[in-house]
Amino acid sequence: MSRLAETLANIPLATLSIMIVCCVVYMYQFFVDPPMHHYTMCPRLVIYMSEYYRFITSSLFHGSIMHIGMNMMSTMAIGSSLEKRIGSLAMATTILWGIQLTSSIYTFISWLLYITIGYEHLMNQHSVGFSGVIFQLAVLEANLSPDRTRSVFGFINVSSKMYPWALLVILQFIMPQISFLGHLSGILIGTMQSHGSLNIFFPSDEYLKDSEQKTSLAFIVRQPSFVSLPEAGTGVGRRREGSAGLFAEVGGSIALFVKNICETLKVMIFGRGEGSNQNIQMGSLGAAWGGNDSVRDDEGWNGLPTIAEERERLT
């Protein structure tokens, strides 16, 4: 068995399936070269032109070979780890709903900023890529992980629950033109899902167990890469702490993250001794992200009508 075949065989079914879908879509982009702005997420076109299909296409299309390569490697790592903990059926529903919910909250936040403070940039911005869903999966995986802390590129250790937030901030500094709101939307959806605020959208553990016994799904369940629901259940969405508990936990995690950032700046400015720096590995950053190359999630397109023009045409 080749190295590639061995790697693919170790990827759970739902994770492998969404990776195949994204790669097939990119092959379509490569050979057909369709107008990208017909498939991107643009809140203005969704709201005022009713182009709701963008909720799905914006997550499946990518801007470049490097873009899809980085996203699929992240999906493989994070998705495989999460799927082995929650099962393939739960992972499939999480991805399918995640595509729609991350796009929905992206659109809602853009619209809310426009009607409250007149900030129109996000309404006109075009974004594309699976990274919003990846951040959703990263939040769920971090909340289920037994590890209490994680290292962010060897720079700083943060709590596992704050790891996606740390990535959000640091990646924005490394690649400032990626979609901050797209990644933030994924984190918000993942946080709400992990706290049970979105349980209405996701099947219960009992339903998933019964579904695995149905003859209609027997072919899928028999696949070698299929992961059955753990005996203890998915562990996702069990905590119903209410909005106060959710905000308290998120606020405490953010405070801890800020404290760690301040400690890092202190070490960078004043140092902490030669012996204390032996555990810091700086070489992983360039290898992980390809040096100075960057991925553009957002791209503005010229020639589109303004919101005022669309409102006038629709009234």
Side-chain angles (χ1 to χ4, degrees):
M1 180 181 293
S2 66
R3 185 71 175 271
L4 176 60
E6 183 179 355
T7 301
L8 294 177
N10 291 328
I11 303 176
L13 183 60
T15 301
L16 180 61
S17 298
I18 191 60
M19 290 175 61
I20 292 175
V21 170
C22 289
C23 290
V24 169
V25 170
Y26 189 76
M27 293 296 290
Y28 165 75
Q29 293 180 243
F30 184 82
F31 288 107
V32 180
D33 192 23
M36 181 64 76
H37 62 280
H38 289 175
Y39 304 97
T40 55
M41 169 51 62
C42 180
R44 174 170 55 82
L45 297 179
V46 170
I47 296 173
Y48 296 107
M49 303 300 292
S50 301
E51 297 181 357
Y52 303 114
Y53 69 88
R54 294 177 182 270
F55 281 1
I56 298 176
T57 59
S58 61
S59 294
L60 302 180
F61 279 70
H62 289 81
S64 67
I65 185 66
M66 182 177 180
H67 187 192
I68 189 173
M70 293 173 64
N71 276 357
M72 292 305 99
M73 286 190 293
S74 299
T75 301
M76 180 177 65
I78 298 173
S80 297
S81 176
L82 178 61
E83 186 170 348
K84 291 175 182 178
R85 290 191 172 98
I86 68 176
S88 293
L89 291 184
M91 185 68 173
T93 56
T94 295
I95 292 175
L96 292 176
W97 273 114
I99 290 174
Q100 302 174 65
L101 292 175
T102 53
S103 297
S104 298
I105 198 169
Y106 180 102
T107 302
F108 174 74
I109 293 175
S110 301
W111 172 80
L112 187 63
L113 291 175
Y114 171 64
I115 65 171
T116 54
I117 62 175
Y119 186 69
E120 192 173 336
H121 175 69
L122 293 176
M123 289 288 289
N124 295 319
Q125 190 176 65
H126 289 247
S127 62
V128 67
F130 195 67
S131 52
V133 180
I134 294 175
F135 270 83
Q136 173 204 7
L137 302 180
V139 171
L140 299 177
E141 195 275 334
N143 277 272
L144 295 175
S145 173
D147 300 326
R148 298 186 61 182
T149 62
R150 291 185 179 183
S151 175
V152 183
F153 301 135
F155 285 120
I156 183 175
N157 286 330
V158 299
S159 66
S160 294
K161 294 180 180 180
M162 277 307 301
Y163 182 71
W165 294 92
L167 285 180
L168 174 70
V169 175
I170 294 177
L171 287 180
Q172 201 64 37
F173 279 105
I174 298 175
M175 296 177 288
Q177 298 192 19
I178 62 176
S179 177
F180 178 84
L181 180 58
H183 296 170
L184 177 62
S185 298
I187 289 180
L188 294 178
I189 292 300
T191 302
M192 288 189 287
Q193 182 182 353
S194 66
H195 285 78
S197 302
L198 301 177
N199 280 358
I200 187 175
F201 296 105
F202 298 94
S204 63
D205 292 348
E206 291 75 15
Y207 181 84
L208 293 175
K209 290 180 180 179
D210 292 340
S211 298
E212 291 182 353
Q213 307 302 321
K214 294 181 178 179
T215 56
S216 57
L217 297 178
F219 175 77
I220 297 177
V221 174
R222 288 198 301 265
Q223 297 303 309
S225 58
F226 181 85
V227 181
S228 300
L229 181 73
E231 290 296 329
T234 62
V236 176
R238 290 180 176 176
R239 295 177 294 172
R240 292 182 172 273
E241 302 161 344
S243 58
L246 174 60
F247 286 125
E249 179 172 345
V250 173
S253 299
I254 293 176
L256 178 60
F257 176 61
V258 172
K259 176 184 176 183
N260 289 335
I261 288 293
C262 293
E263 181 66 23
T264 301
L265 294 175
K266 176 183 176 182
V267 171
M268 291 173 62
I269 297 174
F270 299 105
R272 59 176 181 177
E274 181 179 355
S276 302
N277 292 326
Q278 293 177 353
N279 65 330
I280 298 179
Q281 299 177 357
M282 301 290 289
S284 61
L285 180 60
W289 295 103
N292 294 325
D293 293 334
S294 63
V295 175
R296 294 175 62 92
D297 278 306
D298 304 330
E299 185 64 56
W301 314 106
N302 296 323
L304 292 173
T306 64
I307 291 178
E309 291 172 343
E310 288 174 357
R311 281 178 171 173
E312 182 178 354
R313 187 181 66 82
L314 294 175
T315 55

